[in-house]
Amino acid sequence: MSITIDQIPDLVSQLTLEEKASLCSGGDAWHLQSIERLGIDGYMVTDGPHGLRKVNSAGIIDLYNSVPATCFPTAAGLASTWDTELVGEVGVALGEETRSESVAMLLGPGINMKRSPLCGRNFEYFAEDPVVAGELASALVRGIQSQGVGTSLKHFAANNQETDRLRVSAEVDERTLREIYLPAFEKVVKTAKPWTIMCSYNAINGTYSSQNHWLLTEVLRDEWGYDGLVVSDWGAVVDRVKGVLAGLDLEMPGDAPRNDARIAEAVRSGELDESVLDTTVTRVLTLLAKAGPAMDNPGSYDVDAHHALARRAAAGAAVLLKNDDQVLPLTSGEQVAVIGKFARTPRYQGAGSSKVNPTRLDTALDSLREAWGADLPFAPGFNLAGDADPDLVAEAVEAARGRTAVLFLGLPDIAESEGYDRTHTDMPANQIELLRAVREVAAHTVVVLSNGSSIGVAEWDDQADAILECWLGGQASGSGVADVLTGAVNPSGHLAETIALRLSDVPAQLNFPGELQHVHYGEGRYIGYRGLDATEREVAYPFGHGLSYTTFEYSTLGVEARPISESTNQDDPVVTLTFTVTNTGDRAGAAVPQVYVGFPDSTVDRCVRELRAFRRIELAPGQSEQVSIELTRRDLSYWDVILHDWAVEPGRVVVEVGASSRDLPLNAKVDIEAPRVLHPLRRDSTVAEWMEQDEEFAAKVRSAAKKVGFSADMEDDPTTASFLLTMPVYKVLQLAPVMSPEELDEMLGE
Ligand code: BGC
């Protein structure tokens, strides 16, 4: 029988110091600690995130020996659906499987930002934008937890590369952390309440996440109101006692007797107050109590239904990048040839701790043959080693001659993985060579891509009439993708990461992956489209892009703003947008309208545009829908590094609406009424800053300026005025004696 929440205070009072300390780490690599004499059962936790990886052994490194489970598309694919409902359904299914295997918590999702396309683990992450990642991960977490089991939102925080991941320090400025790297976590924490958060391996600005009080307590608990448990990534603990003090509750993998002993010793020596340990233990027991009912009644799940859902998710994840002359969908009776190894041997998931043992595996070749006839020609065309193979190419050319060649290309397993980063984004040369050869003889070429993170397309884009980016689509990627190719499903996926023309266009590349245990996030907030828009780079396919077999029109944008006052809360709506989306084609389909904001007159640096909201709406041919979206005070705010808080400025906001970050047919400007952002006046505030907030002081400066020979009217002489106005006020007497020392003291004293 499981423990209940009500029993926890009593249990804590019965635990010895050693028992309490032992609960701060697991019982083995995948279980929490049990204490039999008190009936505390240390349940199992497992990876995650897009399928259950319940290992059959207690070892940590045994990555590939786990019970069968449904492998859904990885996060890169789930994010490309921009479909919170579908992702929520996937969550429910993951929760059912977790529960039915008597596992208390799934270790995921991972929501780190895609700072660079090179991060080896991007396939496990959602997006280069916190709004997309935050919304979709919230849906997933809610779905999983609806089944009475927990999630572990990871890797908190700034774990944006695999290189040196166990010790690298991510050097990130405060505003960038707040506006780019933390908001997706904040969103999920506040709206979906994950039972646990997994801290990252890396350090942030010199302090390991596993012992970072600012991160784990001040931001996570004090500011965001988080009341769940913080678990270490497997092996992320450096100094266990510092970790407890910082807010790290559970060390994994377990069986950490030395660290448990250190905790007990720290309590005895007074270094650690026992009440802090009690709080930690209470959180561990709360997790067990929450999972108790599900563990007492695990239930079962419908393997076929989950596979069918995985197929829908794979189809939903596919992004139609290009479709010249509407070569897709394939039309019935069309002469088609299937080329490329991945049609028969799908690349459908990534390597590392997320690797699932699938319940079954569909191939695109089988599914297309089901739809098109068993005699549909196929040729593998290339080998995974990347070597040129003229025989394979010749065979493919013969198969494709005169037909619509559907080429299944992408990255081999080895190209991207947990544990290391890529060094380039190129497609293997032997596959490009194959495409060129097939192009010569085929009637049309359709490229279907399988890869975990964006790959360069510029070198071969002109060789393809259509490109369908399918990411790592899970165990039903073969059938799901076939559904899109045949038109059974109208694609509605959109890019959650930009496909740059060249890797060197990506601003983060100047500082990726760092060196000598440091990585400096020198590009600041300018990751992904934010940077590429600022530097006005052309891109291959922009963030948010995705075609459909139908067409959509955006019209009649209306924007209404309400004044913002001191009492307006962060979540209060302050701008209402309405616009209409119409399906102007002859097929049913789903549009994904996106809302971006920009602040051209801001006094602080702002990105050209930033996504603030999106919707996914299904429309029948000819159907229109009016969409209404509210933007909150927070949506208009920036992180002010003097106030250490969100600040909203009065002035102009540009709102853009459309189908991608570079296809924004609707735009409107709206003036926001809000109090000016005022910073506290200090000795080193400038004369201008003082004048702005203190009229009496302003008058004194003006008259004194006249006396000492500054021009009569400062506005008429901006050069001279700038000398005075930009001066920190404590330097006034030294450099421009516009007042007496007594007057200055009096002013500063106030
Ligand atoms: C990974 C985590 C994973 C854990 C347990 C770590 O190496 O970073 O994402 O949940 O192992 O397998």
Side-chain angles (χ1 to χ4, degrees), residues 30 47 53 121 154-155 165 198 201 233 353 418:
W30 305 110
D47 287 303
R53 184 174 70 92
R121 227 174 161 178
K154 66 192 188 183
H155 307 91
R165 67 172 167 156
M198 188 190 292
Y201 286 125
D233 197 347
S353 62
E418 176 176 347

Side-chain angles (χ1 to χ4, degrees), residues 29-30 46-49 53 60 63 107-108 121 124-125 152 154-155 159 162 165-166 198 201 232-235 352-354 418:
W30 305 110
T46 81
D47 287 303
R53 184 174 70 92
I60 338 171
L63 288 177
L107 302 175
R121 227 174 161 178
E124 269 190 80
Y125 297 145
S152 197
K154 66 192 188 183
H155 307 91
N159 181 177
E162 291 300 284
R165 67 172 167 156
L166 290 157
M198 188 190 292
Y201 286 125
S232 72
D233 197 347
W234 268 229
S353 62
S354 68
E418 176 176 347

Side-chain angles (χ1 to χ4, degrees), residues 616-633:
R616 183 180 179 281
I617 39 177
E618 294 183 8
L619 295 169
Q623 190 188 349
S624 288
E625 191 172 313
Q626 205 193 41
V627 182
S628 171
I629 287 179
E630 304 274 17
L631 299 179
T632 62
R633 174 184 177 137

